[in-house]
């Protein structure tokens, strides 16, 4: 299946290798990580108070974003339109599914 990978090290191994601060629960190794699963990643962030760069080990959800999905998610919604996707939204980003562009569902 698309988007799968292997994480052969536990979170604690990554903390030691990258000198990072753990921020969540430890995750063990996995030989079949699929989209939607939690994975450990190393990030660097600027500490606003000290001006130092902090290296953190964070758990985040792994997944792929389809190229057309960004256009759908980034599109502004007309006022009063509830946040939901209709079948037409997936194929035509300007389609509101109800007659003219100002119509509400």
């Amino acid at each position: 299946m698309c988007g799968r990978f292997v994480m052969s090290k536990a979170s604690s191994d990554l903390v030691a290798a990258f000198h990072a601060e753990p921020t969540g629960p430890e995750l063990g190794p996995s030989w079949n990580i699929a989209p939607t699963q939690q994975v450990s990643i190393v990030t660097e962030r600027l500490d606003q108070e000290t001006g130092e760069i902090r290296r953190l080990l964070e758990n985040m959800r792994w997944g792929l974003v389809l190229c057309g999905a960004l256009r759908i998610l980034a599109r502004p919604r007309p006022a009063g339109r509830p946040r939901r996707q209709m079948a037409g939204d997936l194929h035509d980003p300007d389609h509101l599914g109800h007659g003219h562009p100002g119509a509400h569902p």
Side-chain angles (χ1 to χ4, degrees):
M1 178 179 222
C2 188
R4 293 180 185 256
F5 69 97
V6 170
M7 180 65 139
S8 62
K9 303 287 184 189
S11 298
S12 57
D13 296 327
L14 296 175
V15 167
F18 290 97
H19 307 288
E21 304 170 39
T23 62
E26 180 168 342
L27 299 176
S30 175
W31 282 262
N32 191 21
I33 294 177
T36 73
Q37 288 183 298
Q38 292 286 312
V39 294
S40 295
I41 64 166
V42 177
T43 61
E44 288 185 336
R45 300 187 189 247
L46 179 64
D47 188 327
Q48 298 295 330
E49 295 176 12
T50 66
E52 295 179 5
I53 294 177
R54 294 177 53 205
R55 192 172 285 169
L56 306 171
L57 184 81
E58 302 181 83
N59 295 334
M60 295 192 177
R61 183 177 174 218
W62 165 246
L64 302 175
V65 177
L66 301 174
C67 60
L70 292 177
R71 186 174 55 187
I72 292 169
L73 297 174
R75 177 180 86 222
R77 293 186 317 246
R81 182 175 182 222
R83 184 175 183 93
R84 66 179 179 160
Q85 290 184 348
M86 295 172 269
D89 288 347
L90 299 175
H91 303 290
D92 180 4
D94 298 321
H95 175 70
L96 292 177
H98 295 284
H100 62 83
H104 293 271

